[in-house]
Amino acid sequence: MTDNSELRELAESIFAAARDAGTGFDAELWKTLEGTGLARLTLPADAGGSEGSFSDAAVVLAEAGAYAARVPVVETDLLAGWLLHAAGIGVPAGPLTAVTGTLDVEGSAVRGALQRVPWARAAAGIAVLTPHHVVLLGPEQITVTDGSNLAEEPRDAVVVDGEVPSDAVAGVPEGAAEEFRLRAALGRAQLLAGAARGALAAAVRYAGERVQFGRPIGRFQAVQQQLALAAAEVPAAA
């Protein structure tokens, strides 16, 4: 079994320091992730990555979920960076995002609308996986309308109608659609596992601080039972 303890300690220290940064994109946290090589952990060196494993990524993403990090780590590393590199399109610097959808592509002319794109407003590039093409959209080529999900994470509407560089369009690599789905599921699962651990820690802390009837509520048997049930479920999710 791979020992990821040092990586876990590094990730935890970085994300813990950025806790409660608000609901928008955390530019300072992203700068730190890029400086430590965690922003593009699994990408090859020629794509600006650190050549880490999925096991490494799972460790980092769990910590990101535990501290509700406001950065597109899954989108940049596991999805957009991988997809662009696999398609032979240069991977731009900065935070990236990725989405599946349908666009009208004729040569370098691209037209269409994309809904619920994660972190589009903060992205230096959007990798779009269509049925027949992989397209890289830059901020100067799109119009973004802000939106959000229930967690107040950016889920934006994007419209494109114009020319993109000729090297920003490529064919879809074999098996890319299925791998995209699996990578997205892996990333989301690890974020949720970390979020569950973070929620449990917050609940235990609150149960020790909140006083009712003259004593902390964590001393009540009913509360202890619920915390114990949660504590049993959290490791199962990891």
Side-chain angles (χ1 to χ4, degrees), residues 182-205:
L182 294 174
R183 282 170 168 265
L186 171 65
R188 189 60 55 191
Q190 291 302 319
L191 288 174
L192 288 172
R197 176 162 54 83
L200 175 61
V204 170
R205 184 168 57 251

Side-chain angles (χ1 to χ4, degrees), residues 39-67:
R40 300 170 184 237
L41 185 59
T42 67
L43 293 181
D46 59 354
S50 301
E51 300 189 344
S53 66
F54 284 134
S55 177
D56 296 330
V59 168
V60 173
L61 293 175
E63 295 303 326
Y67 292 98

Side-chain angles (χ1 to χ4, degrees), residues 56-184:
D56 296 330
V59 168
V60 173
L61 293 175
E63 295 303 326
Y67 292 98
R70 313 297 295 194
V71 285
V73 182
V74 172
E75 292 81 2
T76 298
D77 184 27
L78 292 184
L79 299 179
W82 156 77
L83 180 61
L84 294 172
H85 186 260
I89 298 175
V91 182
L96 306 174
T97 191
V99 66
T100 60
T102 301
L103 297 174
D104 293 328
V105 181
E106 296 183 9
S108 59
V110 180
R111 176 180 301 150
L114 303 165
Q115 302 299 322
R116 298 185 61 78
V117 182
W119 302 99
R121 72 193 73 168
I126 302 174
V128 186
L129 176 60
T130 78
H132 304 291
H133 300 89
V134 174
V135 181
L136 172 61
L137 302 177
E140 69 282 356
Q141 296 147 359
I142 60 175
T143 301
V144 177
T145 301
D146 292 355
S148 63
N149 61 14
L150 291 176
E152 298 184 344
E153 297 171 319
R155 293 295 184 270
D156 303 328
V158 172
V159 174
V160 56
D161 186 2
E163 298 282 330
V164 301
S166 59
D167 59 359
V169 179
V172 176
E174 183 177 357
E178 177 65 8
E179 185 166 354
F180 186 98
R181 184 182 68 83
L182 294 174
R183 282 170 168 265

Side-chain angles (χ1 to χ4, degrees), residues 23 66 174 224:
T23 59
E174 183 177 357
Q224 292 174 352

Side-chain angles (χ1 to χ4, degrees), residues 18-37:
R19 182 190 299 184
D20 301 327
T23 59
F25 172 70
D26 190 339
E28 285 301 314
L29 173 57
W30 186 259
K31 183 178 179 180
T32 300
L33 293 174
E34 287 191 325
T36 55

